[in-house]
Amino acid sequence: MKQQVLHIKRSEDRVANIAVLGAGGLGTAAARMLAMKKEMRLAGIADKTGYVVDLEGIDPELLENKKPGDIGMKSDDAIGEIVKNSANFDGIFLALPNLTDEFIPEVVSRFAEQGYSGVIVDALKRSGAVEKIFELDSMIRESGITYITGAGATPGLLTCAAAIAANSFIEVTGVDINFGVGVANWESYRATIREDIAHLEGFDLEKAAGMTCAEIKEELDRRKGILRLHDMEHADDVLLERAGILSREKVKVGGTVDTRNLEKPVSTTMTLTGKTFDGNVSSHRFILGDETTMASNVVGPALGWMKAGLEFHARGIYGVFGSAEIMPRFVR
Ligand code: NAD
């Protein structure tokens, strides 16, 4: 017991070394945000064909204005280099595409096979992918990994806000998430926009994954750059169900994405409705500031869950947790 307390203290005093997989829109935003933090630093980053490892900290300017493939040392298996070096990292943030539900679980399995013992956080969106991560629980636990899934904005920040809001009610009857996202151009967040297209009528993940960039651009042009999304397969449902708050079919997620304008087309809201113990029906609403970007609302919470994960890990608590089960901890 005494030893455990000492261990917790040591890990709190130290700057945590974080590796980021994927150097696209969210990955580079994570690099910039980490450079502003005292408790964590970017120590590794990998994209398709290149990687950088520097345990003293990586300057985010090294990644600015670079094509993601052009970063650092060339490798046919850049993720493999991070896996090989994983003993040096306290935490891994997965900012990779989810264009098949299997891809991220496969990457996670590689860390577990390597015997990695640390924290992994993802910003997965689809229910199917999050469920696949939960299926890996025993392997993740045996490796000594503390894993938090669905730890972005939605699912993530809004899902956790719903989990807090639920406590005012004796029964939660619905959660309705409506997000607004504005990005200057679709190329800055290719995977996000492609995955959103997969939710449109007449599209699916396979079709969206197979589209060329020119076809994506044409589709966006046809819609004047705006994507209107309804009844999305979003893991907020699975996560709130697992947290014991309400059944998945009562969770609705939709949104509007403007791919040509940084301004949000609508404010992002999470509305939770329920019945109180004294017989009233009411709703709590959580509204994000319009000036906060998607990157702020995904990466900030992801690092917050990373810190919570590091604290759990130091206490010897391993396995897969959903973002509705744990509070993110503010990273200084
Ligand atoms: P992006 O396309 O800008 O970046 C992904 C990067 O991963 C690219 O640079 C790409 O080259 C790289 N990559 C692809 N395959 C790889 C491989 N095999 N090995 C190494 N690198 C590889 O994507 P993004 O917009 O930053 O989104 C990243 C993920 O975040 C998406 O899956 C998206 O769904 C998710 N996301 C979650 C939320 C949320 O709120 N939960 C919000 C937005 C985005």
Side-chain angles (χ1 to χ4, degrees):
M1 189 61 206
K2 200 170 174 192
Q3 215 175 3
Q4 206 178 19
V5 172
L6 281 175
H7 183 54
I8 290 164
K9 182 152 187 359
R10 198 166 54 238
S11 65
E12 272 177 5
D13 290 345
R14 205 164 66 67
V15 180
N17 278 338
I18 306 302
V20 174
L21 298 191
L26 294 182
T28 50
R32 286 173 59 198
M33 207 182 281
L34 281 166
M36 298 175 181
K37 299 285 188 185
K38 292 192 193 73
E39 296 178 310
M40 292 179 183
R41 72 175 148 239
L42 181 69
I45 186 160
D47 205 88
K48 262 185 194 154
T49 54
Y51 72 98
V52 186
V53 173
D54 184 345
L55 303 183
E56 299 299 310
I58 298 167
D59 184 344
E61 277 184 28
L62 267 181
L63 314 169
E64 298 276 304
N65 306 319
K66 287 249 163 107
K67 283 202 190 121
D70 285 343
I71 62 163
M73 306 274 289
K74 295 281 155 272
S75 168
D76 292 339
D77 182 21
I79 290 182
E81 298 294 334
I82 300 291
V83 172
K84 260 195 269 170
N85 275 294
S86 57
N88 290 310
F89 304 120
D90 301 289
I92 317 276
F93 172 45
L94 304 177
L96 292 166
N98 177 38
L99 285 155
T100 67
D101 282 351
E102 287 75 28
F103 177 53
I104 288 183
E106 278 164 17
V107 170
V108 173
S109 301
R110 293 184 72 182
F111 281 96
E113 281 155 18
Q114 177 77 17
Y116 175 61
S117 178
V119 181
I120 304 183
V121 170
D122 71 45
L124 280 172
K125 290 207 285 196
R126 299 183 83 91
S127 311
V130 162
E131 286 189 302
K132 286 203 160 54
I133 295 291
F134 279 112
E135 284 167 19
L136 301 181
D137 181 58
S138 58
M139 183 172 88
I140 284 174
R141 211 157 358 114
E142 274 157 33
S143 184
I145 296 169
T146 308
Y147 194 110
I148 297 140
T149 187
T154 167
L157 181 61
L158 300 179
T159 333
C160 191
I164 296 171
N167 292 285
S168 296
F169 302 92
I170 202 80
E171 185 197 344
V172 179
T173 52
V175 169
D176 196 339
I177 288 171
N178 187 31
F179 63 81
V181 167
V183 295
N185 54 70
W186 89 274
E187 285 90 351
S188 2
Y189 294 96
R190 285 174 200 255
T192 302
I193 303 303
R194 212 178 262 277
E195 288 167 37
D196 283 343
I197 287 177
H199 288 276
L200 295 170
E201 218 181 302
F203 290 83
D204 58 22
L205 207 50
E206 202 181 330
K207 184 165 176 190
M211 286 166 80
T212 62
C213 287
E215 284 167 342
I216 297 267
K217 211 175 154 305
E218 270 170 37
E219 190 57 43
L220 292 174
D221 285 345
R222 251 196 298 282
R223 296 167 187 268
K224 300 193 169 53
I226 308 270
L227 301 177
R228 294 181 207 286
L229 302 150
H230 307 278
D231 291 321
M232 300 172 81
E233 184 215 325
H234 241 235
D236 307 78
D237 60 356
V238 173
L239 295 165
L240 288 168
E241 185 175 88
R242 281 188 68 98
I245 292 165
L246 77 175
S247 55
R248 62 180 74 187
E249 71 282 359
K250 293 179 183 158
V251 180
K252 298 268 174 279
V253 181
T256 309
V257 181
D258 188 341
T259 59
R260 295 178 180 171
N261 195 342
L262 274 175
E263 225 166 90
K264 282 187 194 183
V266 292
S267 298
T268 296
T269 57
M270 183 287 297
T271 311
L272 175 139
T273 304
K275 294 178 189 152
T276 66
F277 84 102
D278 44 3
N280 296 319
V281 170
S282 189
S283 298
H284 281 342
R285 179 167 278 191
F286 182 62
I287 309 171
L288 301 189
D290 287 341
E291 300 76 12
T292 60
T293 57
M294 176 175 79
S296 304
N297 292 316
V298 174
V299 178
L303 297 182
W305 271 296
M306 180 74 77
K307 178 168 169 177
L310 290 168
E311 292 175 359
F312 273 45
H313 192 264
R315 288 169 168 77
I317 302 165
Y318 310 137
V320 184
F321 298 89
S323 56
E325 293 167 66
I326 297 178
M327 276 285 279
R329 293 269 286 108
F330 185 70
V331 184
R332 281 176 285 137

